[in-house]
Amino acid sequence: MIKAVMVMNTQGKSRLAKFYEYLSVEKQQELIRGVFSVLCSRAENVSNFIDAESIFGQDSRLVYKHFATLYFVFVFDSSENELAVLDLIQVFVETLDKCFQNVCELDIVFNYSKIHTILDEMVFGGQVVETSSSEIMKAVEEISKCFLSPFLLSCVKMHVDDVRFSTFALFLI
Amino acid sequence: MKEYIIRLVYVEMLGHDASFGYIHAVKMIHDDSLLVKRTGYLAVTLFLNEDHDLIILIVNTIQKDLKSDNYLVVCAALNAVCKLINEETIPAVLPQIVELLAHPKEAVRKKAIMALHRFYQKSPSSVSHLVSNFRKRLCDNDPGVMGATLCPLFDLITNDVNSYKDLVISFVSILKQVAERRLPKAYDYHQMPAPFIQIKLLKILALLGSSDKQASENMYTVVGDIFRKCDSSSNIGNAVLYECICCVSSIYPNPKLLESAADAISRFLKSDSHNLKYMGIDALGRLIKISPEIAEQHQLAVIDCLEDPDDTLKRKTFELLYKMTKSTNVEVIVDRMIDYMNSINDNHYKTEIASRCVELAEQFAPSNQWFIQTMNKVFEHAGDLVNIKVAHNLMRLIAEGFGEDDDTADSQLRSSAVESYLHILGEPKLPSVFLQVICWVLGEYGTADGKYSASYITGKLCDVAEAYSNDETVKAYAVTALMKIYAFEIAAGRKVDMLPECHSLMEEFLASHSTDLQQRAYELQAVIGLDAHAVESILPSDASCEDIEVDKALSFLNDYIQEAIEKGAQPYIPESERTGMLNISNFRNQDHHEASSHGLRFEAYELPKQTVQARIPPASLASTELVPVPEPMYPRESYQTTTVPSVSSDAASTELKLRLDGVQKRWGRQTHFPSTSTSNSTSLKTVNGITQVDGSNTANSRTRETYDSRKQVEISPEKQKLAASLFGGPSKTEKKSATGHKSSKPSSHMVKSHAPKSSMEVASEKTSVQQPPDLLDFGEPTVKSTAPSLDPFKDLEGLLEPTTQVSSAVNHSSTAAVTKSPDIMGLYTETTAGAHHKDSDILSGLSNPPMTNMVGGTTTMQVAQSSKGPNLKDSLEKDALVRQMGVTPSSQNPNLFKDILG
């Protein structure tokens, strides 16, 4: 099963972290830091797989993919296939891309709950439930239909609030 | 409120405490608005765990929501069910979930199945009666639901293969349909029909078909089909291919499928992508169990991977090498592993690789000498990470030698060990475990061959004790070693004059805080004062592996007891028979037993001297570190009569005996010859195979030949040598000839023409080539033991330098990390502080807690709470006010914007 999904930027700030087994906040932070320290020490053009036993304990592998300023990281055990998970990341990113038209780091910061919705449609309780990005899109759109105009307004508000947590965004403003 | 909660989730993701807001998230899931409810569920699943106190407030809502008409609400509730329902609350929601399995919406069915799966993971007994539901859902007409059902089925089948054998046919037919593109187009991914479902199905088939011929035969056609249809240009195609290989290697072997699997592997290994190489190595490791000869074809590719800069690939390759280690290639592989071990500084992996080295060395060591050298290297570089048992094994090996009656070989082994250790002692900073071994060996055998004088050895030992003055165990070992050396000297009738530094060391130890050290020092003093005869009986030379006779019944005390009872003493009542303390004493007995058996393992090697101490007349303050004496009645006597040490030594000696048998078989000299002879015979077989079955094999070897000759141009002779030595055992004679005459082209024709004529000749050539020249050669320890032992130590010297480099690198990186982290923190405080300044009124409630947390650490939690209280209230009040005025909270936005911008 999949143990965790993380998205972090190249500075090591986590943008999305979802653990499918409960972990305390401190432990989560420790793991994120551990993963980042491994990721940032990897060269270009090496494989996308890392043996994560030293961070996550027995029987855990890690697959990551680097897009622009973001690392997408999936941690899972031996019941998944590494190459397939690599493609799952691809599906995830493709879906995000369809959702936000040319997704970037800020989209993830500003649409935090939507990202979670997408992820929940793909991975449910640690198992992959849906792998077709069009199906995921359909489901997500149906959900966002309920979030009509008031949602848009609140979205804007959310953007502004979230700015506080992102140095990057602050810099932009 | 919704935005606050989302923000709170974000805050917690960044690593700050947000527990004050959990209750608001719980409140939100009671809300009527779908939007708010979903947000609430999201927050709750991220905040809470299944044993949290607030769960009790949620269960009721979940129950209600599962019955909702709006399927989005149901989905959200199911999401929460997965994460938040624990074993006790499963019955509360189970009926609804089962109903949902027949829901018209496929998304709901899918999630209901996953929720059931989750329940199964949490407590298999609670849903055991519902397992048939999974089978039913497998026939669902929505492929998404069917695909999702495969996840729980995979788990179920992993646990119990036999009860699902009947599903083989259905899985095969599903797989066939998928492969024939009968699924909706939406499931195509990069022109592959539903690859994820294919992968899951192949995984299941691999489980079902393992060692089941009948089931496997059903799968052959469809797996073969997939092999053919997979396009290997896309990533996902390769994923399916890899899964096919795994499946093939797991089910009952089929030659045709194995062949296509081997083809796929060679494609993987030849590709430029590291990911594919990684998968190739992994697949090779799986297939090698079935057909070991497949590795030869890929030896050069494997070597390339071994030298690749990619760490993950390297590790995988070492895993593969570990799997294919044989007695013929163990030296090369372990050498490589140690080299690699030196180059990394990840402790977790270092420990693993060190234990693997030890394991391989124990299993396949061609000679004792090699084993000792290898162990030395392992200890030197990863000493603190190795299990102490390994050190004890090594000591025992040195003490027992070959275990046979060849004394000269034994003593040669020991003197070479002593020599090497004296050499190694010159190095700065050795791990504690290794020092213990060194001290023990020097004490036991330092002066045995008369090469080194006692004063030289004792000087060295004193140096050790001084240099590692904060390691009590090492000091204790050193003192005991000193005592042994002096005892041997006295026993041999030589005059003992203690070195001045030894004197000062003893004085220091006599006043030591550690009772153990103190005791040992006193013992040393006492032993030195005795005459030769007494000393010889106390510390007989080279008696470390002699068995110790134990009189468990303490019959020699009978007279004394008789006398005491006659004088009116109470007879001893065994602890178990004493009334009133039965339970406690039993308990304690158990405790004792455990403690002693535990202690045994670790103390095994101290035995000789301990028993020896015990034989010293009462002057010795026996065994303080041993188990407390069970009979309190005759404390002094029991000390005298070595009860306690004897019990332990008895058990230990049996343990020694037991393990020793295995060891003899492994390391005994006899095994050395059989190992080569078996390799001879295998090589004979392969050679014969070539001559007899010419038709198919020539084709095979031709392809290999072309592969080689193509590679030949760019491959250095060293690489080939390495390849030959790694894959030495079963590899073809052409490889051998390549190593034999270094630069000559692999002219397989020539060798083949030799082969039929005199296969014996080839075999003998093989044995001579078997140990390639660039390796540490410990081939025949009996013949030339001292000469080769010199070389390895030069090598060792070379190896030591990298370690210092590594350690400096560690320092460097750690400082870097230290300098880095404040930086990040600084940035962070800046942002929060900035935010704090800009819009303090609304946001202070949020930005305060992180600030205080950061400044004062977790201890200031309470302060944070108190400071956060009023602020939160403030903001809530504000919120209420705003609502009262009929303005939605979101309309505050423009103001906020203004605040930040200006």
Side-chain angles (χ1 to χ4, degrees), chain B residues 128 280 310 325 646 699 740 789:
Chain B
S128 53
D310 186 350
T325 307
S646 64
S789 72

PDB file of all heavy atoms in Angstrom, chain B residues 128 280 310 325 646 699 740 789:
ATOM      1  N   SER B 128     -14.810 -10.856   8.294  1.00  0.00           N
ATOM      2  CA  SER B 128     -14.513 -12.141   7.654  1.00  0.00           C
ATOM      3  C   SER B 128     -15.738 -12.709   6.938  1.00  0.00           C
ATOM      4  O   SER B 128     -15.609 -13.389   5.927  1.00  0.00           O
ATOM      5  CB  SER B 128     -14.007 -13.135   8.692  1.00  0.00           C
ATOM      6  OG  SER B 128     -14.924 -13.193   9.750  1.00  0.00           O
ATOM      7  N   GLY B 280      15.749  -3.851 -14.132  1.00  0.00           N
ATOM      8  CA  GLY B 280      16.417  -5.013 -14.718  1.00  0.00           C
ATOM      9  C   GLY B 280      17.195  -5.784 -13.676  1.00  0.00           C
ATOM     10  O   GLY B 280      17.117  -7.016 -13.604  1.00  0.00           O
ATOM     11  N   ASP B 310      24.932   6.243  -9.444  1.00  0.00           N
ATOM     12  CA  ASP B 310      23.630   6.244  -8.771  1.00  0.00           C
ATOM     13  C   ASP B 310      23.633   5.283  -7.590  1.00  0.00           C
ATOM     14  O   ASP B 310      23.853   4.081  -7.734  1.00  0.00           O
ATOM     15  CB  ASP B 310      22.563   5.827  -9.781  1.00  0.00           C
ATOM     16  CG  ASP B 310      21.173   5.952  -9.202  1.00  0.00           C
ATOM     17  OD1 ASP B 310      21.077   6.177  -7.981  1.00  0.00           O
ATOM     18  OD2 ASP B 310      20.218   5.835  -9.965  1.00  0.00           O
ATOM     19  N   THR B 325      25.948 -15.009  -4.479  1.00  0.00           N
ATOM     20  CA  THR B 325      27.259 -15.346  -3.946  1.00  0.00           C
ATOM     21  C   THR B 325      27.422 -16.851  -3.832  1.00  0.00           C
ATOM     22  O   THR B 325      26.532 -17.560  -3.410  1.00  0.00           O
ATOM     23  CB  THR B 325      27.432 -14.726  -2.558  1.00  0.00           C
ATOM     24  OG1 THR B 325      27.159 -13.346  -2.654  1.00  0.00           O
ATOM     25  CG2 THR B 325      28.824 -14.925  -2.042  1.00  0.00           C
ATOM     26  N   SER B 646      29.862 -21.626  36.924  1.00  0.00           N
ATOM     27  CA  SER B 646      29.795 -22.948  36.329  1.00  0.00           C
ATOM     28  C   SER B 646      28.483 -23.149  35.599  1.00  0.00           C
ATOM     29  O   SER B 646      28.457 -23.699  34.505  1.00  0.00           O
ATOM     30  CB  SER B 646      29.959 -24.020  37.389  1.00  0.00           C
ATOM     31  OG  SER B 646      28.875 -23.950  38.281  1.00  0.00           O
ATOM     32  N   ALA B 699      24.225 -21.749 -30.827  1.00  0.00           N
ATOM     33  CA  ALA B 699      23.493 -20.518 -31.115  1.00  0.00           C
ATOM     34  C   ALA B 699      23.568 -19.592 -29.919  1.00  0.00           C
ATOM     35  O   ALA B 699      23.904 -18.418 -30.038  1.00  0.00           O
ATOM     36  CB  ALA B 699      22.041 -20.839 -31.435  1.00  0.00           C
ATOM     37  N   GLY B 740      42.524 -15.684 -18.201  1.00  0.00           N
ATOM     38  CA  GLY B 740      43.819 -16.362 -18.181  1.00  0.00           C
ATOM     39  C   GLY B 740      44.852 -15.592 -18.980  1.00  0.00           C
ATOM     40  O   GLY B 740      45.887 -15.194 -18.447  1.00  0.00           O
ATOM     41  N   SER B 789      49.780 -12.939   3.829  1.00  0.00           N
ATOM     42  CA  SER B 789      49.170 -12.110   4.859  1.00  0.00           C
ATOM     43  C   SER B 789      49.778 -10.715   4.893  1.00  0.00           C
ATOM     44  O   SER B 789      49.248  -9.810   5.502  1.00  0.00           O
ATOM     45  CB  SER B 789      49.323 -12.765   6.218  1.00  0.00           C
ATOM     46  OG  SER B 789      50.656 -12.671   6.622  1.00  0.00           O
TER      47      SER B 789
END
